[in-house]
Amino acid sequence: MRLCQTQSERCKLNISHTLKIVISSISSNKTRNFLTMLGILIGVFAIVLMVSIGEGVRQEVNKQIEGLGANIIFVTSGNPAQRTESQRMGPPGMGGFMGVTPLTNQDHQALLTIQGIKVSPLISRSGILSYSDLTDTVQVTGTNYTYLEIASLPLLEGEFLSKTDEDALDKEAVIGYRIYTEILNSDALNKTVYINDIPFKVIGVLKERGISMMGDQDSEVFIPFKVMQDMANNENITTINVSVDSQDEIESVKKEITTVLKDIRGTENFRLTTQSQMLEITGTIIGTLNLALGGIAGVSLLVGGIGIMNIMLVSVAERTREIGIRKAVGARRKDVLWQFLLEAIFLALVGGVLGLLFAYIGSLVLKNFDVPSAITFSSIVIALIFSTIIGVIFGVYPAYRAASLEPIVALRYE
Amino acid sequence: MIVMETKNLGKIYSFDSIKVTALNNVSIQINQGEIVGIMGPSGSGKSTLMNLVGCLDRPSQGEIWIAGSRVDNLNDNNLAIIRSKQVGFVFQNYNLLPRLKVIENVELPLIYQGVPSHLRRKKADEVLERIGLKERMHHKPSQISGGEQQRVALARALVTNPSFILADEPTGNLDSKTGKEIIKLLQDLNNGGVTVLLITHDRFVAEHTARVIHLKDGEVIENEALPNPIREV
């Protein structure tokens, strides 16, 4: 007599039969199993949507940073290494407010001595713009003619600040698209607007640029930086943008800037930031954010998994007699184990696929509301793998309980 | 040829500190092609004996030999294989799977033997034909009568061509007319060469077999040959 079957026979798990049992068992308890799947559905939906929003934000921010230009070095005051304990309290870039020596016209002039670069100073403050009886809060940026090229600003009509720094003392303004349409009623050139009650002549209008991480770019007003300094009654500059011709020159120019500024400021109390550094920093921040959002959503998936385990334990108890019958006619432990495990995986996987589908629809809806979101291939794969793993983890124990039932005990079960 | 043999078989159930001897020193032999009744009152140990020789449970002492191999010391996996290949169960309450159709219930043991689906269907078809239930093959158990359900259970037991059929009170849930039909079916199968072990408390049912092993208080008290068993026609 042959006790053991051949390896191939033994390995042959009848997938189609098992699937048929799984489907028939799931469809015989539709409401219960739908509610169980709902847990996984919501979990996967939440994870995929959260990660897709995170991914959308990352893509959007990267686009904007890349839009700043790859070959720009941002010079700001303050260096963490040089700060005193009290100054360290403030955020970076706020040096001017926190007692760190701000950048001034002297630094700007010094940088102009470096060959082969373009330099534009930036001073940003919010201000009140009024025209006839309309008033609005706007972002006022003092800069010079080079900024048009460095920031690739799109002109709708008129011209940008075109005069050299020495001559650019007239109160002229270039306005953003929203100010142009909403305050000036799309007729702006040569009109006089008041910024903090000082009259400015509109010499140019920018095309629509949208919202960036710095704020609404269409509510921005550009004026000559020396005029801005007169209004503030100091010579401070928030940022100096230095543009080089190619990325290869960035390191050498950074060294030159450091030498020049250190010479004039006496110490290295300034910072140089490049686009790649900004990408790196925002990448880290958004990555952490994604992990946190995904983690929170992951909790709901965990709860969904517990729901599966609960319902599978109920199912095993209800079908104890069935397990006994199957064992009496020759089912081995692993046959029973697989049957219940596949059922749990099936529940989790169908829940996962439905969750993915809803997340996809959710992402389309969010796009309609201008919320950036992007479902990546990896998030799909991760969602499916995760829901399968959830099915396995929370299905193993009930399946093991089923497989371990003694046939005689299971057959007697009422 | 001996199909099944027990040697000094014993089973003791322990409940906390209390020990109950359900079976003691039972040695029986069942030969190929025999139809044997195992009879005894409630509590005599006949169900325990059936569970042991059906490999559903393990003895506390003694040996069980099926088709020439010792099986009492096998692990769970190999016991499942013995049940799958050597034993055909027929229970008092039929024990069909309610969600499966008649034909699928009959195919079930073949699935666990790894028989390919077209062969399964062919074998199940043949057995249902033999039992006279072919026209009911696509019904669910709830859609057929008790007698028909017991015949399906018999078909499921036969489909693997086992060494013996173990029928535990197969007429217990049936009216006397349907019960007689089932006994006739068992007798017909036996005439065709199938070894049948019929467990019953009913003297009338036992008298349909050629030999009756009487159990009392877990021990064999008589091994009675019946030269002229009742024949159902």
Side-chain angles (χ1 to χ4, degrees):
Chain A
M1 183 186 62
R2 205 168 44 124
L3 282 186
C4 296
Q5 292 162 300
T6 65
Q7 195 61 30
S8 68
E9 269 180 279
R10 199 181 305 170
C11 291
K12 193 180 288 167
L13 172 76
N14 198 305
I15 298 283
S16 72
H17 173 76
T18 312
L19 269 182
K20 216 165 145 186
I21 294 168
V22 165
I23 289 166
S24 104
S25 132
I26 286 172
S27 59
S28 68
N29 276 308
K30 286 191 191 73
T31 313
R32 187 171 93 181
N33 286 310
F34 172 72
L35 290 174
T36 309
M37 275 183 206
L38 202 61
I40 298 294
L41 190 155
I42 291 170
V44 168
F45 169 79
I47 287 187
V48 173
L49 202 63
M50 289 294 183
V51 171
S52 82
I53 290 173
E55 188 55 35
V57 169
R58 183 205 299 276
Q59 287 178 8
E60 191 64 31
V61 168
N62 284 0
K63 206 167 78 188
Q64 283 173 15
I65 293 174
E66 277 155 15
L68 295 174
N71 307 333
I72 296 177
I73 302 164
F74 305 93
V75 185
T76 49
S77 62
N79 187 329
Q82 301 281 326
R83 286 193 196 180
T84 64
E85 204 50 52
S86 63
Q87 290 161 346
R88 212 170 277 153
M89 304 299 286
M94 300 290 279
F97 300 104
M98 302 306 296
V100 170
T101 319
L103 295 168
T104 63
N105 288 350
Q106 206 185 358
D107 301 309
H108 176 220
Q109 288 299 327
L111 291 184
L112 289 174
T113 60
I114 300 173
Q115 294 296 308
I117 61 170
K118 294 190 187 74
V119 182
S120 87
L122 282 179
I123 309 160
S124 284
R125 297 269 188 283
S126 68
I128 307 290
L129 182 139
S130 52
Y131 176 73
S132 70
D133 56 348
L134 295 171
T135 302
D136 204 356
T137 307
V138 296
Q139 179 72 20
V140 185
T141 301
T143 185
N144 69 359
Y145 65 100
T146 49
Y147 193 63
L148 176 74
E149 195 183 328
I150 289 179
S152 315
L153 296 176
L155 263 178
L156 180 70
E157 58 181 39
E159 56 177 7
F160 197 68
L161 310 168
S162 56
K163 293 169 183 159
T164 55
D165 295 343
E166 289 70 28
D167 298 331
L169 299 169
D170 295 335
K171 295 186 173 58
E172 295 174 336
V174 178
I175 59 172
Y177 189 76
R178 196 183 64 77
I179 302 170
Y180 169 67
T181 52
E182 290 180 14
I183 311 274
L184 285 121
N185 206 15
S186 302
D187 178 19
L189 283 189
N190 297 319
K191 294 281 190 302
T192 302
V193 294
Y194 289 83
I195 299 168
N196 293 352
D197 295 329
I198 298 164
F200 280 80
K201 189 173 100 178
V202 178
I203 58 164
V205 179
L206 294 175
K207 285 184 184 164
E208 198 170 356
R209 291 193 294 152
I211 296 178
S212 82
M213 55 181 171
M214 310 297 181
D216 180 6
Q217 299 183 100
D218 294 320
S219 293
E220 215 170 350
V221 178
F222 292 96
I223 62 174
F225 77 95
K226 286 202 169 158
V227 175
M228 183 99 172
Q229 287 175 332
D230 283 346
M231 287 164 72
N233 209 13
N234 63 37
E235 289 207 336
N236 294 354
I237 294 170
T238 319
T239 314
I240 302 174
N241 288 7
V242 176
S243 150
V244 298
D245 284 340
S246 85
Q247 216 166 347
D248 307 336
E249 296 171 32
I250 281 192
E251 282 313 307
S252 63
V253 170
K254 270 170 93 172
K255 273 186 196 138
E256 275 189 83
I257 293 172
T258 306
T259 313
V260 168
L261 288 185
K262 223 169 144 181
D263 195 35
I264 200 160
R265 292 166 74 88
T267 168
E268 202 174 324
N269 55 0
F270 53 87
R271 236 171 323 144
L272 308 180
T273 315
T274 57
Q275 184 203 52
S276 60
Q277 282 173 309
M278 286 170 79
L279 283 174
E280 210 175 293
I281 293 165
T282 54
T284 312
I285 293 170
I286 293 169
T288 312
L289 190 76
N290 270 356
L291 213 62
L293 289 176
I296 292 166
V299 172
S300 61
L301 195 58
L302 192 72
V303 173
I306 293 169
I308 286 194
M309 192 194 263
N310 189 26
I311 224 64
M312 288 309 298
L313 285 172
V314 171
S315 181
V316 170
E318 281 178 352
R319 285 150 72 190
T320 301
R321 204 179 176 81
E322 172 188 329
I323 295 163
I325 296 170
R326 287 181 183 276
K327 287 199 158 186
V329 301
R332 289 155 298 174
R333 269 168 176 261
K334 69 171 177 187
D335 294 320
V336 176
L337 187 91
W338 270 109
Q339 182 189 327
F340 282 89
L341 194 55
L342 276 181
E343 194 169 318
I345 293 173
F346 190 86
L347 278 176
L349 203 55
V350 172
V353 169
L354 289 177
L356 205 55
L357 197 73
F358 278 100
Y360 178 71
I361 295 169
S363 138
L364 290 183
V365 171
L366 284 180
K367 269 186 189 154
N368 259 359
F369 290 101
D370 282 335
V371 178
S373 75
I375 292 187
T376 57
F377 180 70
S378 63
S379 69
I380 294 174
V381 173
I382 288 169
L384 295 181
I385 290 177
F386 249 83
S387 39
T388 308
I389 290 175
I390 287 283
V392 172
I393 289 175
F394 291 97
V396 153
Y397 175 66
Y400 175 77
R401 286 245 306 229
S404 308
L405 281 171
E406 289 296 331
I408 187 69
V409 175
L411 273 172
R412 281 198 199 125
Y413 187 85
E414 292 298 335
Chain B
M1 193 185 91
I2 297 168
V3 167
M4 194 277 291
E5 183 177 14
T6 69
K7 295 178 182 170
N8 306 320
L9 201 60
K11 178 73 183 177
I12 298 166
Y13 292 109
S14 301
F15 306 98
D16 296 324
S17 55
I18 306 161
K19 288 188 173 167
V20 177
T21 305
L23 219 54
N24 187 25
N25 215 18
V26 171
S27 298
I28 56 171
Q29 288 183 349
I30 309 294
N31 296 309
Q32 166 82 47
E34 259 194 310
I35 179 163
V36 179
I38 293 180
M39 226 197 104
S42 171
S44 60
K46 53 187 193 303
S47 285
T48 304
L49 181 61
M50 170 190 153
N51 292 336
L52 292 176
V53 299
C55 299
L56 291 169
D57 203 0
R58 284 196 175 81
S60 309
Q61 62 188 58
E63 297 172 10
I64 304 169
W65 293 71
I66 294 175
S69 293
R70 189 173 168 185
V71 299
D72 56 87
N73 51 2
L74 295 177
N75 63 20
D76 282 355
N77 202 39
N78 286 331
L79 278 182
I81 294 168
I82 295 288
R83 289 195 295 271
S84 161
K85 297 204 158 183
Q86 309 292 345
V87 188
F89 289 99
V90 178
F91 300 95
Q92 179 174 356
N93 51 5
Y94 331 129
N95 273 344
L96 300 175
L97 294 186
R99 278 203 301 272
L100 300 187
K101 290 182 210 162
V102 163
I103 182 91
E104 290 167 335
N105 265 293
V106 177
E107 279 183 47
L108 197 62
L110 299 175
I111 284 165
Y112 296 117
Q113 286 191 359
V115 176
S117 70
H118 65 279
L119 260 178
R120 286 203 306 258
R121 188 49 58 105
K122 190 166 162 276
K123 285 188 174 185
D125 239 30
E126 284 169 8
V127 178
L128 281 172
E129 174 100 66
R130 195 163 146 200
I131 295 287
L133 268 181
K134 205 170 174 211
E135 71 283 3
R136 298 287 208 187
M137 62 193 273
H138 294 299
H139 288 68
K140 293 274 173 74
S142 59
Q143 296 167 325
I144 59 178
S145 71
E148 285 172 324
Q149 288 189 52
Q150 195 58 299
R151 276 151 72 192
V152 174
L154 203 46
R156 182 181 64 189
L158 285 170
V159 77
T160 55
N161 204 14
S163 294
F164 59 96
I165 298 272
L166 208 47
D168 183 17
E169 306 276 10
T171 61
N173 279 13
L174 302 171
D175 60 70
S176 64
K177 182 173 170 284
T178 321
K180 283 178 182 174
E181 282 171 17
I182 292 296
I183 291 175
K184 179 180 184 306
L185 198 53
L186 285 169
Q187 285 184 327
D188 290 349
L189 290 169
N190 179 246
N191 285 340
V194 178
T195 311
V196 177
L197 209 53
L198 183 59
I199 292 124
T200 183
H201 69 282
D202 187 340
R203 175 75 204 175
F204 176 73
V205 172
E207 281 175 355
H208 290 76
T209 64
R211 178 158 68 100
V212 182
I213 296 167
H214 293 268
L215 284 180
K216 194 183 175 193
D217 297 333
E219 295 184 24
V220 177
I221 53 168
E222 194 186 349
N223 203 330
E224 173 194 13
L226 298 176
N228 297 305
I230 305 169
R231 294 223 58 95
E232 294 293 339
V233 280

